[in-house]
Amino acid sequence: QSALTQPASVSGSPGQSITISCTGTSSDVGGYSYVSWYQQHPGKAPKLMIYEVSNRPSGVPDRFSGSKSGNTASLTISGLQAADEADYYCSSYTSSSTRVFGGGTKVTVL
Amino acid sequence: QVQLVESGGSTVQPGRSLRLSCAASAFTFSRHGMHWVRQAPGKGLEWVAVISYDGSDKYYADSVKGRFTISRDNSKNTLYLQMNSLRAEDTAIYYCAKDRLAVPIIDYWGQGTLVTVSS
């Protein structure tokens, strides 16, 4: 049950695009479409931003998009805004019917 | 609006036990898989356990297997986590979370309850 691998931090200027990667194995990210992304502001509960690799829940801006290639999933934030500054976590279903999270990525808006 | 309200968190000594509860409302609790996820102070999210909609299937993280037990009472719309043999490394905010209907994706989280294990 090793955590998925995410960069510790990513930064960008307002209006720019950033991409966060999430690398797992064929037993989790690469084996299923059940990859999700969560946004967490300090002191708050996580919020679902992307589910099943690339789907957005209602209310999530279309500036957020997801994709997957092989064992690596990605979250892209376009038109970066100050409100996007937060921690982001990826998660995947696994072949053991468990779940696994990434270590988290701190997004900083410069 | 989906509501998940955790309770039961407190400060306990190493080796002792604690039971967390999560009261669910505004969705059909008996149709959704449910999880416990924890977050140590200043650290990332760690998945702890999941229980199927009817309680027939349960899975645990290796770090808690044999010490923690997840359960549910669909008549009371409540999820539980029995934590035994607590260790300092179990100190964390414990979140209750629900799966999307028939899909293994967490879509809603509670606000969490803090468990501190310290002598």
Side-chain angles (χ1 to χ4, degrees):
Chain A
Q1 295 183 344
S2 299
L4 305 176
T5 300
Q6 297 181 231
S9 63
V10 172
S11 62
S13 299
Q16 286 187 330
S17 294
I18 61 169
T19 296
I20 302 168
S21 61
C22 170
T23 301
T25 69
S26 58
S27 295
D28 39 62
V29 174
Y32 305 92
S33 294
Y34 301 128
V35 176
S36 51
W37 289 90
Y38 302 90
Q39 176 190 65
Q40 187 181 35
H41 287 109
K44 301 294 187 181
K47 174 187 175 183
L48 178 65
M49 303 301 285
I50 295 288
Y51 67 95
E52 292 181 76
V53 177
S54 59
N55 296 301
R56 276 188 313 277
S58 60
V60 173
D62 60 6
R63 302 184 296 102
F64 291 83
S65 61
S67 63
K68 189 183 82 165
S69 177
N71 296 337
T72 298
S74 298
L75 173 71
T76 297
I77 309 175
S78 305
L80 198 62
Q81 299 180 1
D84 301 332
E85 188 161 291
D87 293 326
Y88 291 82
Y89 296 89
C90 61
S91 179
S92 176
Y93 178 77
T94 81
S95 59
S96 303
S97 300
T98 62
R99 313 297 166 83
V100 61
F101 285 95
T105 298
K106 182 177 181 59
V107 169
T108 301
V109 182
L110 301 172
Chain B
Q1 179 76 338
V2 169
Q3 277 210 317
L4 298 168
V5 180
E6 302 92 338
S7 61
S10 70
T11 298
V12 295
Q13 294 180 327
R16 302 300 290 263
S17 299
L18 198 63
R19 189 178 84 156
L20 306 182
S21 300
C22 171
S25 60
F27 68 100
T28 307
F29 180 73
S30 61
R31 297 183 67 189
H32 293 262
M34 297 293 296
H35 301 256
W36 288 100
V37 179
R38 67 186 182 183
Q39 187 168 32
K43 302 297 185 182
L45 301 172
E46 179 187 14
W47 177 81
V48 173
V50 63
I51 185 169
S52 60
Y53 70 99
D54 61 356
S56 61
D57 295 311
K58 304 173 185 181
Y59 299 94
Y60 299 91
D62 288 344
S63 58
V64 306
K65 200 174 295 183
R67 299 188 299 123
F68 289 11
T69 301
I70 189 171
S71 62
R72 65 191 298 160
D73 186 336
N74 285 348
S75 69
K76 296 181 178 180
N77 288 352
T78 303
L79 176 72
Y80 302 100
L81 184 67
Q82 177 67 43
M83 303 186 294
N84 298 332
S85 303
L86 282 161
R87 306 167 179 168
E89 54 264 37
D90 295 319
T91 294
I93 295 173
Y94 284 74
Y95 293 102
C96 162
K98 66 173 279 291
D99 267 344
R100 288 175 64 86
L101 189 63
V103 177
I105 295 274
I106 292 173
D107 60 355
Y108 283 97
W109 303 66
Q111 289 304 304
T113 187
L114 177 62
V115 173
T116 302
V117 183
S118 173
S119 54

